[in-house]
Each structure stands twice: as C-alpha cells, then as structure tokens.
C-alpha cells in the first residue's frame, strides 16, 4: 500500500488536513465543537469498520447512516457552511481574478467619512441613543442589506443620528456602510448564540458579535442603557472604548484595505486596544 504512496497522495492528505482544520475553527467559533467531534469520531469508526477490518454487517449498518449523513450535516451546519463559502469567496485569489476582469471593489468607508461616523457615535453615546452600525470589509453584506431599507446616501453625522433617533422607524435595526456610503438601515443581523457573554450585553451587542463572527465586518454598538461605545471584529467584542480608540480602529481598517488593494494581500483587522 505504501509502495504506491506518492506526491499526489501527500498533497491529498495535506489538503484534507487543512480543510478539517478550517472546519474545526468555524465550528469552534459557533460553539458546536462537541457535535463536530462526534461526527468526526463516527467517520473514523466508519473507516476502521468498513475499510480496515472489513466488517460486513456492522459496515453495512454504518453505510446506511452514512448515506443520509451528508444531508444531516448540511442541516446541522448550514450556518457554518455558509460562513465557509463566504470566506472562500472573499479570498484574495478570487479578488485577484475579479480585478483581472476589471471588477474593482470600492472602499467600504472613506477617510473623511470616519470623522463624521465617530462624531455621530460620540453624540449618540452622550444622549444614550442606541445604535448598531456595520462597516463592510472584504465579505459582501448584500444579503443583510436586503432585510432593511435601502438608503444609498452619503455618510453624515446628522443623518446617522436621525436614523437612530428613538422615534425613527429604522432605529431598532442595523445600519450597513458599504462602498463609502450608508447603503441600508433597519437591517436584521444574525444574533450570536454564545453562552459566555455578560448579561449586560443586549440584543444589539449580540447582533454585532453575530455579524462579526459570520463576516469580517466591523460592527459598532452604542449602548442605550449605559451610553458606552463598543465594537466587534473577528468574533470578539470590545466594550467601553473611547471615540479616539474607535477612530484609530477605523483608520487602521482603511489603511489595511488600501494595502490589500495595492499589494493583493489579505491581513485581518487586528484591534490594538480596547
């Protein structure tokens, strides 16, 4: 058996290992690690029974479960599969192909708009006006924009404050900033199912963490109860940040986007302070 083991088989094993590692990271972030380990243990048992020990009776029983197992896995891990495909579609290889055909991705937010956004967040924090603002990065948020009202407007401090005014019909949903504009408001976002979050975090914080887990977006939250600014990125949330810290984070994200566009490289946005 090992005599026929060549370079192609080595590449095959490496690709499977990388795929399993990526899948494990996805399910780990979603809190379904135990379920994933159970499925992995079943697959290993199936291989031993059917291929190595060649137990016909037990192997046939496991084969029956295996035939429907694919559909069960799709149902159980539909969110993780969608997240994996979204991450795959945002890969720099696909971005390079898109740019080769002349498809250029515009910056999610411009430098002069960051000041207006931070000022709006600071004003809403002072008046304890609840808000949830999501800034698109590499992964598109079109599917979430469709759940709200399309605005497609220039970013301005007054407009942001008016949208999240308590009597506004759109204040309960999320605002999505994309391509340098306010694309939509009143949007519905996925809510994080993490069980280790502080009880002080409300639905807005969980929605911010949910969108940051499923995509590479930056989600800003203004607490209605405490009047504090928080932001979520890469499945982590940072509470009670200052307007200066928020501006530094957004400026760093803008620089990272410019570097990706110039160098065809991708590097996740890493917060420097919280």
């Amino acid at each position: 058996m090992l005599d026929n083991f060549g370079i192609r088989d080595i590449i095959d094993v490496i690709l499977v290992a990388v795929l399993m590692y990526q899948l494990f990271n996805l399910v780990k972030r979603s809190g379904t690690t135990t379920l994933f380990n159970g499925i992995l243990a079943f697959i290993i048992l199936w291989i031993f029974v059917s291929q190595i020990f060649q137990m016909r009776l037990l192997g046939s029983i496991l084969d029956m479960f295996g035939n429907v197992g694919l559909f069960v896995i799709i149902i159980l891990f539909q969110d993780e599969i969608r997240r994996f495909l979204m991450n795959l579609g945002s890969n720099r290889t696909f971005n390079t192909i898109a740019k080769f055909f002349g498809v250029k991705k515009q910056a999610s937010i411009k430098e002069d708009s960051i000041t207006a956004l931070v000022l709006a967040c600071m004003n809403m924090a002072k008046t304890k006006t609840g808000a949830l603002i999501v800034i698109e990065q590499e992964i598109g948020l079109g599917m979430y924009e469709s759940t709200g009202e399309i605005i497609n407007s220039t970013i301005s401090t007054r407009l942001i404050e008016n949208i999240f005014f308590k009597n506004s019909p759109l204040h309960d949903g999320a605002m999505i900033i994309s391509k340098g504009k306010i694309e939509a408001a009143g949007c519905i976002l996925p809510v994080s199912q993490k069980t280790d979050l502080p009880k002080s975090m409300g639905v807005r914080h969980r929605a911010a963490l949910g969108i940051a887990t499923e995509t590479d977006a930056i989600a800003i939250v203004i607490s209605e109860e405490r009047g504090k600014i928080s932001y979520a990125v890469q499945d982590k949330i940072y509470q009670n940040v200052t307007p200066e810290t928020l501006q530094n984070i957004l400026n760093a994200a803008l620089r990272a986007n410019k570097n990706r566009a110039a160098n065809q490289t991708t590097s996740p946005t890493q917060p420097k302070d919280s």
Side-chain angles (χ1 to χ4, degrees):
M1 180 178 179
L2 294 177
D3 295 337
N4 298 325
F5 196 83
I7 297 179
R8 183 181 300 177
D9 300 297
I10 295 176
I11 296 175
D12 188 20
V13 172
I14 293 175
L15 291 177
V16 171
V18 171
L19 178 61
M20 295 300 293
Y21 177 75
Q22 294 296 333
L23 289 175
F24 179 77
N25 284 338
L26 286 175
V27 298
K28 183 179 180 180
R29 288 187 296 180
S30 62
T32 55
T33 308
T34 304
L35 182 60
F36 177 79
N37 291 337
I39 295 176
L40 185 61
F42 174 81
I43 294 175
I44 294 175
L45 176 63
W46 187 10
I47 293 174
F48 269 91
V49 170
S50 300
Q51 302 297 325
I52 298 179
F53 298 112
Q54 296 184 353
M55 298 179 180
R56 295 184 179 180
L57 180 58
L58 183 57
S60 62
I61 295 175
L62 294 179
D63 288 341
M64 294 176 60
F65 284 102
N67 291 334
V68 296
L70 179 61
F71 299 100
V72 175
I73 291 175
I74 292 176
I75 294 174
L76 293 176
F77 293 102
Q78 54 182 329
D79 292 335
E80 286 72 21
I81 293 173
R82 181 181 64 184
R83 192 179 307 132
F84 173 77
L85 294 176
M86 291 175 66
N87 289 330
L88 182 65
S90 66
N91 188 275
R92 67 183 184 185
T93 302
F94 293 93
N95 291 334
T96 303
I97 295 174
K99 290 178 181 180
F100 177 78
F101 287 101
V103 180
K104 296 183 180 181
K105 182 177 177 61
Q106 301 181 24
S108 57
I109 187 170
K110 299 178 181 178
E111 190 171 357
D112 56 348
S113 300
I114 292 179
T115 302
L117 174 59
V118 173
L119 181 59
C121 292
M122 184 173 62
N123 293 339
M124 290 187 293
K126 289 181 179 179
T127 58
K128 292 186 178 181
T129 301
L132 175 54
I133 303 171
V134 182
I135 304 174
E136 180 185 87
Q137 297 296 301
E138 288 294 307
I139 299 178
L141 302 177
M143 62 181 298
Y144 303 108
E145 294 174 9
S146 61
T147 63
E149 295 292 331
I150 303 299
I151 296 179
N152 192 24
S153 175
T154 304
I155 300 173
S156 69
T157 301
R158 289 185 179 273
L159 178 58
I160 295 174
E161 292 179 9
N162 286 334
I163 288 176
F164 288 109
F165 182 68
K166 293 183 179 180
N167 293 331
S168 169
L170 301 176
H171 78 281
D172 276 335
M175 173 188 293
I176 295 180
I177 294 178
S178 173
K179 304 178 185 66
K181 293 184 177 182
I182 300 175
E183 284 291 328
C187 302
I188 301 174
L189 303 181
V191 179
S192 174
Q193 300 300 323
K194 284 188 174 182
T195 58
D196 57 345
L197 297 177
K199 294 183 179 180
S200 59
M201 289 189 182
V203 177
R204 284 193 180 95
H205 291 83
R206 288 184 173 273
L209 189 57
I211 194 66
T213 301
E214 291 207 358
T215 69
D216 60 348
I218 301 174
I220 304 170
V221 185
I222 311 298
S223 173
E224 189 173 355
E225 292 77 16
R226 296 175 292 126
K228 299 295 183 180
I229 302 175
S230 305
Y231 73 92
V233 63
Q234 291 185 344
D235 78 343
K236 294 181 181 179
I237 190 164
Y238 301 85
Q239 295 183 278
N240 305 335
V241 300
T242 63
E244 292 78 13
T245 298
L246 180 62
Q247 184 152 4
N248 291 336
I249 292 299
L250 296 179
N251 285 330
L254 179 61
R255 289 193 298 268
N257 289 336
K258 289 181 178 179
N259 291 335
R260 279 195 293 265
N263 303 326
Q264 298 291 322
T265 58
T266 53
S267 57
T269 304
Q270 294 288 352
K272 295 183 179 180
D273 49 19
S274 59

